[in-house]
Amino acid sequence: MLNPEETAFLEANGYLDLGVLLSAEEVKKINERLDELREQEGETAGAELMDSKYIRHPKEEGADRLADLVNKGEVFDIFYTHPRVLAGVGAVLSSGFKLSSLNYRAAKPGKGLQKLHVDFGNSVPKGEYKVCNSIWLLDDFTELNGPTRIVPGTHHSKNLPGELLEDPFAPHPDEIKITAPAGSVFIFNSHVWHGGTQNLTDRDRRSIHSYFCALDQPQQIDQQRYITEETKRRIGSEGMRILNVS
């Protein structure tokens, strides 16, 4: 779970390092399964995002995507059931939450730069947050391979980045970059200003995002529509509650 110091840091800064939650062997198995899915799905990889009304950028140039990982293997169950992650999400979305989507993103060499953005259409009053994300590092995140950047404290802003920044793609003087070993997990309030940076290496920078929303918000991926009987049997009643499916 989270201790009081962690909870206070998350509230003040809008993000929190949860530490290494995956072993090296777990990371290896996850990446192997992702490689299989990328080969199987080919050009249709991430097609579930194209079918969603609630994805702003369903096709991102310079990044590989996979979607609906909930239904693509037991190896992905931990991403939306780990107690530390759920505790962090609960600290942000205190009125209740559900999984919105479980997706893979890999920044390609020379690519991956995103403008600073938030994952909601407008600013919200302090404490009335609607979205929260976790990023699971499947490679070491370094200064050079396109780590996520965050501007701490900006979830308290009454403005969106596009309203204040002349160039949302440019480095922000207060931004920090998430750098940590593979297997680490960071949680961040999705109202904090954030974005991917350019991958300056010759290898993909891989991660999975388990993205949560408040109970009164639509899911990016309609979990009830996609859920399979095999997944239901595997995850049980608690997993189904998190997915908000019956």
Side-chain angles (χ1 to χ4, degrees):
M1 301 303 178
L2 302 188
N3 61 43
E5 291 77 16
E6 290 174 321
T7 302
F9 186 94
L10 176 59
E11 168 52 27
N13 294 282
Y15 76 98
L16 179 66
D17 180 358
L18 296 179
V20 176
L21 301 186
L22 296 173
S23 68
E25 182 61 26
E26 286 174 315
V27 171
K28 180 175 181 290
K29 289 181 178 179
I30 290 162
N31 280 327
E32 287 173 349
R33 177 58 180 152
L34 291 167
D35 287 343
E36 291 173 356
L37 290 169
R38 290 169 59 197
E39 183 174 351
Q40 291 169 8
E41 298 186 17
E43 290 300 314
T44 67
E48 297 90 346
L49 300 178
M50 298 294 291
D51 197 34
S52 172
K53 296 183 293 183
Y54 305 107
I55 299 287
R56 295 189 315 280
H57 305 295
K59 200 70 172 176
E60 180 186 0
E61 182 183 359
D64 283 340
R65 292 276 192 174
L66 288 166
D68 189 34
L69 296 180
V70 166
N71 294 297
K72 296 180 180 178
E74 183 177 1
V75 71
F76 301 119
D77 292 350
I78 192 173
F79 291 91
Y80 61 97
T81 61
H82 195 287
R84 287 270 286 166
V85 169
L86 296 181
V89 174
V92 174
L93 305 178
S94 55
S95 61
F97 60 86
K98 57 193 173 185
L99 184 75
S100 183
S101 58
L102 183 62
N103 302 325
Y104 164 80
R105 179 180 184 267
K108 306 298 290 181
K111 305 289 185 179
L113 178 64
Q114 296 175 319
K115 64 182 179 180
L116 284 170
H117 64 279
V118 301
D119 294 332
F120 201 68
N122 51 272
S123 58
V124 298
K126 183 177 179 179
E128 297 183 18
Y129 306 119
K130 298 297 185 181
V131 282
C132 183
N133 211 340
S134 64
I135 181 168
W136 298 67
L137 282 54
L138 301 180
D139 292 300
D140 295 345
F141 273 34
T142 71
E143 287 281 343
L144 296 178
N145 69 351
T148 302
R149 58 181 174 145
I150 289 174
V151 184
T154 47
H155 57 304
H156 296 149
S157 176
K158 295 181 180 179
N159 297 100
L160 301 179
E163 298 170 344
L164 295 181
L165 301 179
E166 182 176 341
D167 181 6
F169 287 96
H172 190 283
D174 299 324
E175 73 183 27
I176 62 98
K177 291 181 179 179
I178 290 176
T179 56
S184 301
V185 182
F186 283 72
I187 189 166
F188 59 94
N189 183 322
S190 293
H191 299 271
V192 79
W193 300 4
H194 65 277
T197 59
Q198 185 179 7
N199 182 354
L200 301 176
T201 72
D202 60 359
R203 299 181 61 184
D204 289 0
R205 193 278 289 151
R206 299 169 292 183
S207 63
I208 283 179
H209 294 261
S210 48
Y211 177 59
F212 297 82
C213 63
L215 292 173
D216 64 352
Q217 295 299 304
Q219 295 163 314
Q220 285 190 331
I221 296 292
D222 184 348
Q223 304 296 336
Q224 183 66 59
R225 175 182 173 189
Y226 282 95
I227 193 76
T228 66
E229 290 302 318
E230 192 280 329
T231 299
K232 287 184 181 181
R233 287 192 298 270
R234 187 181 72 242
I235 65 175
S237 59
E238 179 60 15
M240 290 172 65
R241 182 191 66 79
I242 297 169
L243 296 177
N244 198 39
V245 300
S246 57

